[in-house]
Every structure is written in C-alpha cells, then in structure tokens.
Amino acid sequence: KCRVVPLGINAEEYDVHEPEEVAKLQAKYGHPFVFFCGVHRYYKGLQWLVRAAAQIQAPVVIAGDGPERANIMQLAADLDLKIDFPGALSQQELVAHLHACSVFAFPSVERSEAFGLSILEAHACGKPVVGTRLGTGVEFVNEDGKTGLNVPPKDADAFAAAVNELLGNEELRTAMGAYARERVHNQFSAEGVARQEFELYKTVLQSKDSDP
C-alpha cells in the first residue's frame, strides 16, 4: 500500500566548469575545509556545528542566510571562533564551494529535516557528508559508512570526531565521495525519479481499471 519515490536532482548541474574558482576558494579558506550551505533555520542545528568547530581540525565555512544567521554568528564570536560566513551563494558559487571543500556538514537536529537535498548536492560533487541520525530520510540519503558518517544530533563532540575522522583519511574521503556521486546518478537523478513516478501512477491507474 506504500511505495517510496525519493526526491532527485539534476546531477550534471553540479559538474565543475571553472576549476580556477575552486583553487581560489581553497586559497581563501584553507585546504582542506569543512562546508555547510542552507537556510539558517532552527532545525538545521548550526549552533552545534559552531560548537563542534572548536574541535574540528580544519577551517569551517557556513554559507547561506536565514532567521538564525545573526544568532549563529554571535555564538561564533562569543566562543572566539574564526568561522567564515559568506552569506547566500549563487548556484555557480555553491558548486564551486562544494568541489573546493573536503567534507560537507549536515548537523540538523529536528525531524523537520525530512530528507536533505543539500546532501545529494554534496554527493553529486563527490564529497562525503557528516550528518545526524534523525530517524528520517536523512539517513537514507547519507548512508552511514558508505557516503559519509551519521552521528547523534546535538552532540558537538561526536560531530567533530566524525568530521576529523574523514579529514584525517583522504583515501576514505575519496572512496566515499566516489560511491556517493555514483549513487546520486543511479538512484537520485531527476530523470530517474520522474520515471519512477510515471511508472507508479501507471501501475495505480491500471490496477484501478482492472477493479470489478
């Protein structure tokens, strides 16, 4: 009675076309660096990413805008942490940042986070993700141990430890990123998802037509 069709993205839109921009970002922030991008809302858990930044062994960049941005920036200042907040990014800037970073951070803390499209965007760029265990689609999108690592929400120590594990193992990052990118193309392409929806509707309509 229930069939699940995931969300999808046009993975080709996340291919890098300006490698010099990637190099510029790595020179600006440092290499490697950890990246987040999204709307700054209460359920994104950015305060925990900020607290984890004190232990993360690389620069942290938090892009995007939203109602919690001022609070998050103030927390970073109160903790005397140097975190870059570049604000809202264009699509081209986002793609460059995703290719330039080494790990994508996804610290959401509430079940309001039902899926995580930004995880797919990072995966499309071949980047592993550190996410959280919310009991939602997030754990389906970010396969623990395969496309990244998932830790308990609201645990800055665990989040930092997972990020550092990936930062300290380039071979693991590369393997996870390659698998993640392939998985996006195979399971989460917009065209493939549309085909699944079409076939599902066709099956339902055929079943209805055959009812007595």
Side-chain angles (χ1 to χ4, degrees):
K1 293 184 178 181
C2 179
R3 291 272 299 277
V4 176
V5 178
L7 299 176
I9 62 172
N10 290 314
E12 295 76 13
E13 295 179 359
Y14 295 87
D15 293 339
V16 64
H17 299 293
E18 298 184 8
E20 64 277 6
E21 293 302 317
V22 172
K24 287 180 182 178
L25 290 172
Q26 291 176 341
K28 175 182 178 180
Y29 299 128
H31 183 61
F33 71 88
V34 178
F35 180 57
F36 166 90
C37 187
V39 180
H40 297 191
R41 301 191 187 280
Y42 74 94
Y43 60 84
K44 291 295 184 180
L46 290 175
Q47 67 270 38
W48 301 101
L49 176 57
V50 169
R51 295 182 187 280
Q55 303 175 55
I56 290 175
Q57 297 165 0
V60 174
V61 179
I62 299 177
D65 201 352
E68 292 297 315
R69 186 177 187 221
N71 293 334
I72 298 305
M73 293 180 71
Q74 185 60 55
L75 176 61
D78 291 344
L79 296 175
D80 196 26
L81 297 173
K82 185 184 181 303
I83 296 176
D84 282 285
F85 293 90
L89 303 178
S90 68
Q91 176 67 12
Q92 181 177 334
E93 291 170 332
L94 171 62
V95 171
H97 277 74
L98 287 170
H99 280 279
C101 76
S102 293
V103 177
F104 186 79
F106 196 84
S108 296
V109 294
E110 302 291 345
R111 288 176 60 84
S112 309
E113 192 70 81
F115 190 77
L117 274 175
S118 60
I119 296 176
L120 289 184
E121 293 173 335
H123 286 170
C125 297
K127 303 301 175 176
V129 174
V130 174
T132 48
R133 302 186 193 118
L134 299 175
T136 66
V138 168
E139 290 159 81
F140 169 67
V141 180
N142 193 43
E143 283 192 288
D144 189 40
K146 293 185 177 181
T147 66
L149 301 172
N150 294 323
V151 301
K154 301 182 181 181
D155 189 333
D157 292 342
F159 199 92
V163 171
N164 288 335
E165 179 180 347
L166 294 179
L167 289 173
N169 191 332
E170 183 177 3
E171 183 178 353
L172 179 61
R173 290 201 314 271
T174 301
M176 284 185 169
Y179 171 74
R181 187 175 186 277
E182 181 181 7
R183 185 168 178 254
V184 168
H185 282 268
N186 291 339
Q187 297 186 36
F188 297 101
S189 71
E191 182 178 352
V193 168
R195 171 58 59 180
Q196 289 182 57
E197 290 180 348
F198 174 78
E199 294 296 336
L200 179 57
Y201 277 115
K202 186 168 71 171
T203 299
V204 171
L205 289 173
Q206 289 174 344
S207 174
K208 184 177 180 180
D209 290 342
S210 64
D211 288 343

